[in-house]
Amino acid sequence: MKKVEAIIRPERLEHVKRALEEKGFVAMTVSEVKGRGEQKGITLQFRGRTMEVDLLPKVKVEIVVEDKAVDAVISTIVDAARTGKYGDGKIFVVPVEKAVRVRTGEVEE
Amino acid sequence: MDDVAVAWLLASTALVMLMTPGVGLFYAGMVRRKNAVYMITLSFIAYILVSLQWVLTGYSLSFGDDIAGIIGIGGIMPIDIFAIYQLTFAAITLAIITSAAAERMKLSAFVVFGLLWTTLVYDPFAHWLWGNGWLAQLGALDFAGGVVVHISSGFGALALAIALGARKGLGEYSMEPHNIPMTLLGAALLWFGWFGFNGGSALAANETAVRAIIVTNTAAATGALVWMILTWTSGRPGSLSIVTGAIAGLAAITPAAGFVSIPAAIVIGIVAGLICYRAMLFRINARLDESLDAWAIHGVGGLWGTIALGIFAKNGLISGNTSLFVSQVIAVVVSVIYAFAVTFILAKIVDAAIGLRVSEEEEYVGLDISQHGETAYA
C-alpha cells in the first residue's frame, strides 16, 4: 500500500475530487494547508515597492491505495489539478505499513 | 423641528450609521476568506468618503437652493439634524454598490469612483425626489429611498459589475461564502438600522413613524418567509436565502413605508420576495458577476416598491387615481436609465484613468493582502 499525498491549488480541489471519483477512488482525507515551493510564493509589484506573499493557501489531499493503483491516482490528480502556472503543487508517494478499519478492526497490509 | 423630533432623528442617525458597517459584514461573509477584510473596509471607506463629501458639498447639491429642478447650489452643510441624518443615507448607498466591487476592484479606483458616483448619481437623485427637484415637482414620491438609495445603488452596481468584468475563475471553481454567520450578523444590523431608516424618514416621532416601522418589519418578515419557502421547495431553506429575502422585503417597503397599510405591506413583501428571487436566478443564468446581488435585491426590490407605492397609497391605483402611479413609473424609468448609464460611464472613465481592477496575481492572493497587507484569519 502507498499513500499519495497531493498538495494542490484550493480552487482545483473540486476538479480533483470529481476526477478521482470517476476513476473509482472515493476515499480521501483533505486538509487546508499553507506552503511555498521553489518560487517562494508570489511577489506582488506595486509602484515603488514589492511585497512578498510567501506562504500561499493550498489543499492537501491524502489517498491510500494499492501499489498498482498509484500511477492511475497520480495521473488523475495531475490532469485535474494542472493550470500550467507556477504553484500548481506537488505529489508525494510514501509507503504505508498497514491500515486498520476502526469499525471492524480488520487489518489491510 | 421640535425637540422630540430632533431626539428621534438623532437616534435614527445612529441607527442608520450602523447599517453601513452592517452592509460590509453582510457582503464580507459571502466572499472568500482572502477578501473579508477588504469587503468590510470598502463599506467603511464609503462611509468616510461620503461623510466628507456630504458636509463639504453633497448636502447642498441635494437639498440646497434649487437650480432648474436639476441640482441644488453646493456649499458647506448647515448644523442641522436633517442634514446629518441624510448623510447616513448617502453613505449606505455607496456602501451597497460595493457589491459589484467584490474581490476585484482596486481600492484607489473605488475611492475615485465613489467620490464621483456620490456627487453625480446620488446627489442628483436626492435632489430630484427629496430636494424639490423635477421628479418631486412631477408628483413622484419616495418615502425613504426606493429610488434614491435602492434603484440608484442596485442598478449602479449592475453597471459597475459589467464594467469591471467577472472575477477570475467564475463558474470554473467554487466561490462559496466563507462565513455565513458574518453575513447573518450584517443582515441583523441592517434590519435593526432600517427602523431608523424608514421610521426616521417621517421626520417626526409621530404616527407616520410608527406606521413606517410596523410595515417595514412586516414586509421584511414576509420577504424572508417567501425566500424560505422558495428555497425549501427546491432543497433546503438556507439561512443566506432567508435573510436575503428579508432585505428584498425591506428594500421594497422603503419607498412606501409612510404611506401604506399592513395588508399592503404583506403584498409588497410577497411580490418583492418572488421577483427578487427571479432576478437573482436571471443574474446567475446570464453569468453576470454581480454575485452579492445588490442589483437583484436592492435594485429590483426598490423598483417594485416604488411602483407599489403608486398602487397602494391613498391616492394610488387602488383608489382609482392614475396620476401618482404614472409619476412613480416615470421616476422608475428615469432613475434606472440614469443610474445604469452614468455609473457605467463613470466606471469607464476611472478605468481609462487609473484602471479599475487589481492585477491577476493580486486577485489570486486576495485583496486583504494585496490592498491592505492584512489577513482576516491566521
Side-chain angles (χ1 to χ4, degrees):
Chain A
M1 277 186 303
K2 295 277 190 290
K3 176 160 81 162
V4 180
E5 237 180 55
I7 314 289
I8 59 168
R9 294 178 181 272
E11 67 268 23
R12 303 306 296 179
L13 174 64
E14 287 305 316
H15 300 258
V16 170
K17 258 168 55 187
R18 215 176 312 131
L20 286 167
E21 200 173 319
E22 280 167 11
K23 295 264 166 67
F25 305 107
V26 180
M28 61 174 67
T29 303
V30 176
S31 34
E32 290 183 1
V33 294
K34 279 186 176 179
R36 65 182 186 190
E38 305 279 327
Q39 279 66 39
K40 289 200 234 163
I42 290 185
T43 304
L44 299 175
Q45 300 286 351
F46 296 102
R47 264 174 303 208
R49 66 189 182 99
T50 58
M51 183 172 166
E52 302 280 347
V53 184
D54 73 339
L55 289 178
L56 291 168
K58 299 286 171 192
V59 165
K60 181 163 73 170
V61 181
E62 295 169 280
I63 308 169
V64 176
V65 289
E66 301 282 328
D67 289 18
K68 62 178 190 294
V70 167
D71 289 344
V73 170
I74 289 174
S75 63
T76 304
I77 294 175
V78 165
D79 288 347
R82 182 189 288 139
T83 69
K85 296 200 187 96
Y86 286 123
D88 274 352
K90 206 129 190 177
I91 297 174
F92 308 99
V93 181
V94 289
V96 174
E97 283 188 18
K98 73 167 72 156
V100 181
R101 192 181 298 277
V102 173
R103 178 171 52 89
T104 58
E106 93 192 74
V107 180
E108 296 171 54
E109 306 242 357
Chain B
M1 200 175 283
D2 62 51
D3 285 358
V4 178
V6 172
W8 168 230
L9 282 195
L10 287 167
S12 290
T13 302
L15 279 160
V16 183
M17 182 274 153
L18 196 55
M19 291 173 78
T20 292
V23 169
L25 292 164
F26 182 74
Y27 286 161
M30 289 194 274
V31 297
R32 288 165 291 177
R33 57 195 302 145
K34 62 187 178 184
N35 297 309
V37 172
Y38 164 83
M39 215 64 229
I40 299 171
T41 310
L42 273 188
S43 281
F44 273 104
I45 290 172
Y47 193 84
I48 292 158
L49 292 174
V50 173
S51 285
L52 289 166
Q53 185 271 358
W54 191 253
V55 297
L56 292 173
T57 191
Y59 171 79
S60 306
L61 289 173
S62 304
F63 295 100
D65 292 341
D66 176 70
I67 307 170
I70 303 295
I71 198 76
I73 294 178
I76 301 279
M77 182 181 109
I79 302 297
D80 175 75
I81 180 61
F82 176 72
I84 181 67
Y85 174 60
Q86 280 295 324
L87 178 153
T88 59
F89 281 62
I92 192 178
T93 307
L94 184 58
I96 293 168
I97 278 213
T98 63
S99 164
E103 308 197 296
R104 60 202 190 276
M105 189 170 182
K106 268 183 0 195
L107 214 50
S108 55
F110 178 74
V111 170
V112 176
F113 168 85
L115 283 170
L116 289 169
W117 192 89
T118 196
T119 307
L120 297 170
V121 182
Y122 185 86
D123 294 347
F125 273 16
H127 184 74
W128 296 351
L129 283 142
W130 294 338
N132 202 27
W134 73 275
L135 282 173
Q137 290 165 24
L138 207 69
L141 295 173
D142 186 358
F143 185 72
V147 170
V148 179
V149 175
H150 297 290
I151 289 180
S152 70
S153 60
F155 283 84
L158 186 65
L160 178 58
I162 291 169
L164 274 161
R167 289 165 296 168
K168 254 199 108 47
L170 183 81
E172 184 195 343
Y173 46 78
S174 155
M175 295 191 181
E176 293 299 300
H178 89 283
N179 189 338
I180 287 172
M182 186 183 279
T183 297
L184 301 182
L185 175 63
L189 292 175
L190 282 168
W191 194 326
F192 167 82
W194 228 295
F195 291 166
F197 200 88
N198 291 356
S201 290
L203 304 180
N206 60 7
E207 197 181 323
T208 305
V210 176
R211 169 187 299 273
I213 288 178
I214 291 171
V215 300
T216 295
N217 196 58
T218 305
T222 308
L225 195 64
V226 168
W227 275 58
M228 193 162 123
I229 294 164
L230 286 171
T231 50
W232 212 328
T233 49
S234 60
R236 290 198 182 87
S239 64
L240 217 54
S241 300
I242 293 168
V243 297
T244 304
I247 291 174
L250 287 162
I253 196 69
T254 294
F259 309 119
V260 296
S261 64
I262 291 174
I266 292 173
V267 176
I268 288 172
I270 291 172
V271 177
L274 293 172
I275 61 170
C276 291
Y277 191 72
R278 297 300 314 169
M280 182 190 71
L281 295 180
F282 167 81
R283 189 267 305 160
I284 293 167
N285 290 332
R287 290 279 176 101
L288 286 165
D289 194 7
E290 212 285 287
S291 299
L292 309 186
D293 283 315
W295 171 74
I297 306 304
H298 294 272
V300 174
L303 185 154
W304 155 241
T306 304
I307 303 256
L309 162 58
I311 300 170
F312 296 110
K314 270 201 181 68
N315 54 344
L317 277 188
I318 271 199
S319 55
N321 295 320
T322 53
S323 69
L324 176 65
F325 181 77
V326 171
S327 313
Q328 295 309 104
V329 172
I330 292 169
V332 161
V333 172
V334 167
S335 61
V336 163
I337 293 169
Y338 185 91
F340 186 89
V342 177
T343 307
F344 190 78
I345 292 162
L346 291 178
K348 284 294 181 193
I349 290 170
V350 174
D351 197 17
I354 58 172
L356 281 175
R357 272 184 92 124
V358 298
S359 70
E360 200 176 314
E361 280 189 333
E362 289 171 350
E363 191 176 341
Y364 184 73
V365 171
L367 280 74
D368 289 2
I369 286 178
S370 76
Q371 303 297 291
H372 300 289
E374 294 166 316
T375 51
Y377 309 92

